[in-house]
């Protein structure tokens, strides 16, 4: 019963943490900006405006449970001061709207830097005990776990929030770039010493291990990412990016062993982690800066920039980057010709599609009255200019 009370109390404290509501508001704002851009460029909303909000916790909840199990099961105790400063850092970075700064590598690095500064300046005790030397190993291990989950989320969940945008090429055509601005919220149970918490909240449940008392808190960990793909297809870019971030997380986890035996290495490992995380972002940004586009208008047919959810195009398995060559046996090169070809058989459509590997395939599907009049594709050249 005591443990149930502790969990319920932790959940209540989680719900009053300002990070929770700032992150949800940030997700709403990112969805609003995405929809506004889609309507401006394509005159239609591709994904629902609340997509980012719905996926903020839904996509990360399973990983949050796993992290909680590891954190509590391994007894990774962090000072309450650490969580206090992490809250302040996350709030400030969320307000800046710079989503990429919400990578756990950055937020935790800034947190330990702020704590070190507070101890150096001998700030008042009401800001918390600034000594975290006994928690160096747990902090590095938790940072590695959070960065590891960040990489997994980038690889598996980037599609909800990925949006195409038009960009004019040197030839005056409209090619496509794909932007991702996304945040995830992970409610993770953390173990803290009971002493500081009991001083300000004596009602808080606690448990005893050996001669020490500990408490559980449910803390909101925020993960944010931002990247644009242009030269390569989004699945290739974000899969590779996620793998690199995952590798960094694994390296940090292994580095916790070094910190256990050589505590002073903590500062070096955190600094190197920040440099490597920033280097990964800059490297992938640089790779996508070449003046070439994976998805651009083609003389062969209609290049697909996006597929609307629950549309005939999605049910036919059409993918962004594929090229529709024929519709109902008629060659098509723009959206006007696509619409005219669909009228040949208004109840059924047969497509010949050239995939990204330049292999031809055929697909077909029934078209109903309530379906999108262009079967739910967004063309790379929305103006439908004839060539």
């Amino acid at each position: 019963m005591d443990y149930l009370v502790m969990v319920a109390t932790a959940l209540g404290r989680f719900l009053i943490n300002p990070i929770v509501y700032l992150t949800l508001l940030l997700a709403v704002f990112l969805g609003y900006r995405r929809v506004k851009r889609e309507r401006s460029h394509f005159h239609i909303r591709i994904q629902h405006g609340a997509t980012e909000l719905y996926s903020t916790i839904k996509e990360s909840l399973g990983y949050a449970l796993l992290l909680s199990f590891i954190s509590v099961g391994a007894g990774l105790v962090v000072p309450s001061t650490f969580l206090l400063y992490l809250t302040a850092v996350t709030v400030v970075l969320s307000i800046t709207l710079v989503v990429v700064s919400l990578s756990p590598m950055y937020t935790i690095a800034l947190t330990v830097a702020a704590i070190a500064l507070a101890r150096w300046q001998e700030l008042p005790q009401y800001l918390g005990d600034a000594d975290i030397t006994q928690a160096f190993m747990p902090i590095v291990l938790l940072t590695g776990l959070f960065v590891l989950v960040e990489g997994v989320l980038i690889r598996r969940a980037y599609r909800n929030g990925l949006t195409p945008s038009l960009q004019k090429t040197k030839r005056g055509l409209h090619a496509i770039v794909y932007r991702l601005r996304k945040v995830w919220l992970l409610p993770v149970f953390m173990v803290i010493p009971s002493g500081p918490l009991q001083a300000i909240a004596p009602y808080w449940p606690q448990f005893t291990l050996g001669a020490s008392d500990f408490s559980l808190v449910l803390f909101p960990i925020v993960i944010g990412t931002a990247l644009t793909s242009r030269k390569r297809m989004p699945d290739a870019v974000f899969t590779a990016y996620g793998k690199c971030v995952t590798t960094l997380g694994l390296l940090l986890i292994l580095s916790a062993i070094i910190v256990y035996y050589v505590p002073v290495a903590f500062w070096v490992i955190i600094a190197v982690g920040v440099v490597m995380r920033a280097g990964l972002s800059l490297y992938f940004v640089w790779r996508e800066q070449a003046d070439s586009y994976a998805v651009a208008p083609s003389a062969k047919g209609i290049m697909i920039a996006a597929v609307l959810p629950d549309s005939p195009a999605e049910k036919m398995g059409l993918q962004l980057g594929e090229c529709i060559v024929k519709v109902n046996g008629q060659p098509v090169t723009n959206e006007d010709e696509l619409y005219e070809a669909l009228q040949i058989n208004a109840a059924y459509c047969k497509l010949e599609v050239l995939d990204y590997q330049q292999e031809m395939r055929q697909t077909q599907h029934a078209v109903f009255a309530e379906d999108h009049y262009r079967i739910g594709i967004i063309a790379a050249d929305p103006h439908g200019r004839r060539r």
Side-chain angles (χ1 to χ4, degrees):
M1 181 60 68
D2 290 340
Y3 285 105
L4 291 176
V5 171
M6 185 182 302
V7 171
T9 306
L11 179 60
R13 298 283 291 186
F14 171 83
L15 293 175
I16 64 173
N17 193 308
I19 293 178
V20 175
Y21 301 100
L22 276 175
T23 304
L24 296 179
L25 286 173
L26 180 56
V28 171
F29 174 73
L30 293 175
Y32 165 77
R33 284 206 342 189
R34 175 183 55 77
V35 170
K36 184 177 180 180
R37 184 183 299 110
E38 289 171 353
R39 292 191 184 281
S40 173
H41 290 191
F42 304 105
H43 308 294
I44 191 171
R45 164 181 58 78
I46 297 174
Q47 297 186 62
H48 194 278
T51 298
E52 286 82 357
L53 178 62
Y54 293 153
S55 62
T56 298
I57 295 181
K58 180 181 177 182
E59 293 175 350
S60 60
L61 185 58
Y63 301 107
L65 293 174
L66 179 60
L67 289 173
S68 297
F69 178 79
I70 295 174
S71 173
V72 176
L76 302 178
V77 181
V78 295
S80 56
T81 302
F82 175 77
L83 299 184
L84 174 65
Y85 278 77
L86 183 56
T87 298
V89 167
T90 304
V91 166
V92 171
L93 293 179
S94 298
I95 293 174
T96 65
L97 303 180
V98 182
V99 179
V100 71
S101 68
L102 291 171
S103 168
M105 189 69 254
Y106 301 141
T107 54
I108 293 179
L110 287 174
T111 297
V112 298
I115 292 175
L117 179 63
R119 191 177 188 190
W120 179 53
Q121 294 291 333
E122 298 182 351
L123 295 183
Q125 282 296 308
Y126 63 78
L127 292 177
D129 183 5
D131 185 9
I132 59 169
T133 54
Q134 300 302 314
F136 280 172
M137 192 275 285
I139 290 175
V140 171
L141 187 53
L142 286 171
T143 303
L145 290 169
F146 296 151
V147 173
L148 176 66
V149 169
E150 177 188 7
V152 173
L153 285 171
I154 291 173
R155 290 176 60 186
R156 296 186 177 181
Y158 72 87
R159 290 178 179 84
N160 290 326
L162 182 69
T163 182
S165 299
L166 292 175
Q167 192 168 83
K168 185 168 289 187
T169 68
K170 292 182 178 180
R171 297 173 56 194
L173 300 176
H174 286 94
I176 303 295
V177 298
Y178 292 90
R179 306 179 189 276
L180 179 68
R181 305 289 185 273
K182 193 170 177 62
V183 291
W184 294 280
L185 184 65
L186 289 77
V188 179
F189 278 103
M190 312 277 277
V191 182
I192 64 171
S194 287
L197 187 59
Q198 289 298 110
I200 60 175
Y203 57 84
W204 192 274
Q206 61 183 14
F207 61 93
T208 302
L209 290 176
S212 301
D213 294 329
F214 301 95
S215 297
L216 287 180
V217 294
L218 188 61
F219 190 81
I221 297 295
V222 180
I223 295 177
T225 192
L227 190 65
T228 298
S229 70
R230 176 172 73 174
K231 182 180 177 181
R232 296 178 296 161
M233 296 296 292
D235 58 346
V237 173
F238 290 102
T239 298
Y241 186 46
K243 285 182 178 179
C244 290
V245 175
T246 300
T247 301
L248 175 58
L250 290 172
L251 291 175
L252 287 168
I253 292 172
L254 294 175
S255 299
I257 300 174
I258 300 175
V259 175
Y260 180 80
Y261 291 102
V262 188
V264 72
F266 169 82
W267 302 104
V268 176
I269 289 171
I270 291 295
V272 171
V274 170
V275 172
M276 292 181 67
R277 183 65 185 84
L280 285 176
S281 295
L282 292 174
Y283 172 73
F284 277 88
V285 169
W286 171 77
R287 285 200 64 177
E288 296 302 306
Q289 288 302 308
D291 189 31
S292 61
Y293 298 84
V295 179
S298 171
K300 298 178 181 179
I302 299 175
M303 187 67 73
I304 300 175
V307 176
L308 300 181
D310 301 319
S311 65
E314 184 182 63
K315 295 170 185 175
M316 284 187 283
L318 299 182
Q319 303 289 328
L320 60 89
E322 293 186 323
C323 183
I324 300 177
V325 178
K326 290 184 179 181
V327 177
N328 291 330
Q330 299 296 312
V332 292
T333 58
N334 57 60
E335 287 191 320
D336 292 338
E337 293 177 355
L338 168 66
Y339 180 70
E340 293 170 2
L342 286 172
Q343 303 312 303
I344 296 175
N345 188 344
Y348 209 83
C349 69
K350 297 175 64 176
L351 307 180
E352 293 184 26
V353 181
L354 193 65
D355 65 20
Y356 195 65
Q357 285 72 40
Q358 301 302 305
E359 296 180 358
M360 190 71 70
R361 65 184 178 90
Q362 293 186 346
T363 183
Q364 54 190 351
H365 195 272
V367 179
F368 301 101
E370 64 272 13
D371 287 330
H372 189 269
Y373 75 105
R374 287 193 175 99
I375 65 172
I377 67 162
I378 303 297
D381 187 359
H383 302 294
R385 291 178 294 182
R386 297 179 183 274
R387 300 169 178 83

